[in-house]
Amino acid sequence: VKVHAYNSNVIVLERVFDKNSGDAMFAVFNFKEEQGCFTVPDEGKWKLAMDSSHEMFKGPGRSFPAELSGGNTQDIQGTSVA
């Protein structure tokens, strides 16, 4: 598991399950009320599985696109996880 910290409020946990197939996942947590940002891990494309800022979780509105590109900077809503 790789752990990346951004601005002392955003934490990214990255886990590679199978190096041969490239199966991996990451989770990002923002522990402060203010919006934060982070760098999407590695190269390639990531599919969004869950965003706690989505309206269905009573959040202010989804902050992530359905697909993320590795190496890009991404904003995350305050006090949320994706």
Side-chain angles (χ1 to χ4, degrees), residues 18-79:
D18 184 346
K19 291 181 182 179
N20 294 326
S21 70
D23 287 346
M25 61 82 61
F26 78 91
V28 59
F29 303 85
N30 186 356
F31 296 103
K32 292 198 176 180
E33 291 184 19
E34 298 84 28
Q35 180 175 324
C37 68
F38 67 98
T39 302
V40 179
D42 295 328
E43 297 300 320
K45 302 286 184 187
W46 297 89
K47 291 183 182 178
L48 181 67
M50 194 274 302
D51 180 356
S52 71
S53 63
H54 194 283
E55 292 90 353
M56 80 165 130
F57 298 115
K58 308 277 191 233
R62 196 166 131 176
S63 60
F64 288 88
E67 188 172 271
L68 301 166
S69 295
N72 289 342
T73 301
Q74 174 66 44
D75 292 331
I76 180 172
Q77 297 280 1
T79 57

